[in-house]
Amino acid sequence: MKFTVPTIETERLILRPLSLDDAESAFEWTGDERVAKYMIYSTHESIETTKEWLRTVDALENEYLWGFVRKFDNKLIGSGSIRFRTNEDKWSFGYNMRHDCWNMGYTTEATLAMMNYVREKHNAHRFIAECAKENIGSARVMEKCGLHFSGNGEYQSYDGKKTFISKIYELEDEVND
């Protein structure tokens, strides 16, 4: 199923659909080795690679993908998505943030907004996320969003060049009938 990506506002961010016009700004984090270190994609070597990625965003199935825009300067500083895993009846999410925006709470703020959106729109109450075991910052975001460590796993980059031992986090909201 294709989802229409709405615009969402938080205290400091605007979450909005990404477009090809965002290539230059997005390349600031997709081309940064520090940001891509634990990601499923490899560091983008050129803005053309970022453009190729942005050309695919309209074709996503069962997934919302947002760009994170900082309100005070209208700067695109990251992106994130939340997708429905039909075979598990869970929502999984991920995120990317410019290195100079780490440890400022933006990622947690954006992730909570994504989670709350699918809670309201789809009555979602089961969430799962994972990060590389060494990616302490990403694990903290998951914990701040209410998820709890549930076990270890493994994931591989799209190109097969990187394999990571991962920490898996889950949350199941209480549902009142």
Side-chain angles (χ1 to χ4, degrees):
M1 169 187 291
K2 286 221 188 268
F3 294 141
T4 301
V5 180
T7 298
I8 300 171
E9 286 198 41
T10 68
E11 182 181 338
R12 300 178 298 160
L13 300 170
I14 297 169
L15 282 65
R16 62 152 174 84
L18 286 168
S19 74
L20 197 54
D21 294 338
D22 294 317
E24 191 174 312
S25 294
F27 183 64
E28 291 180 27
W29 73 81
T30 61
D32 186 333
E33 291 178 6
R34 298 167 296 182
V35 176
K37 183 176 183 177
Y38 300 117
M39 299 306 298
I40 200 164
Y41 67 86
S42 292
T43 306
H44 289 187
E45 298 296 326
S46 72
I47 198 167
E48 288 307 314
T49 306
T50 303
K51 287 179 180 178
E52 286 175 29
W53 165 59
L54 290 170
R55 285 185 190 103
T56 69
V57 299
D58 287 337
L60 296 173
E61 295 279 334
N62 296 320
E63 185 169 356
Y64 294 96
L65 173 66
W66 284 277
F68 305 151
V69 177
R70 195 168 43 200
K71 283 183 177 179
F72 82 82
D73 62 0
N74 205 34
K75 176 79 175 165
L76 180 68
I77 60 170
S79 67
S81 72
I82 191 163
R83 103 181 137 87
F84 185 62
R85 294 184 179 190
T86 54
N87 58 332
E88 298 174 73
D89 193 32
K90 294 178 184 176
W91 289 84
S92 65
F93 58 81
Y95 34 76
N96 265 315
M97 190 67 66
R98 288 170 49 110
H99 186 264
D100 63 346
C101 294
W102 288 4
N103 299 310
M104 296 181 179
Y106 290 125
T107 308
T108 302
E109 186 174 327
T111 301
L112 286 169
M114 294 189 305
M115 291 172 69
N116 288 335
Y117 177 77
V118 298
R119 280 180 173 118
E120 293 171 17
K121 176 79 175 171
H122 298 281
N123 196 30
H125 60 91
R126 297 176 72 209
F127 298 92
I128 187 168
E130 72 179 313
C131 62
K133 190 175 177 181
E134 298 83 11
N135 192 347
I136 297 164
S138 194
R140 283 293 300 136
V141 169
M142 293 172 196
E143 292 166 354
K144 289 178 185 178
C145 290
L147 283 76
H148 304 282
F149 177 74
S150 64
N152 291 311
E154 184 178 285
Y155 67 93
Q156 195 170 50
S157 61
Y158 292 132
D159 62 11
K161 293 180 181 177
K162 302 185 285 187
T163 300
F164 301 98
I165 301 300
S166 66
K167 293 175 82 174
I168 300 169
Y169 289 81
E170 296 189 64
L171 171 66
E172 185 160 350
D173 293 333
E174 288 186 31
V175 180
N176 297 323
D177 292 328

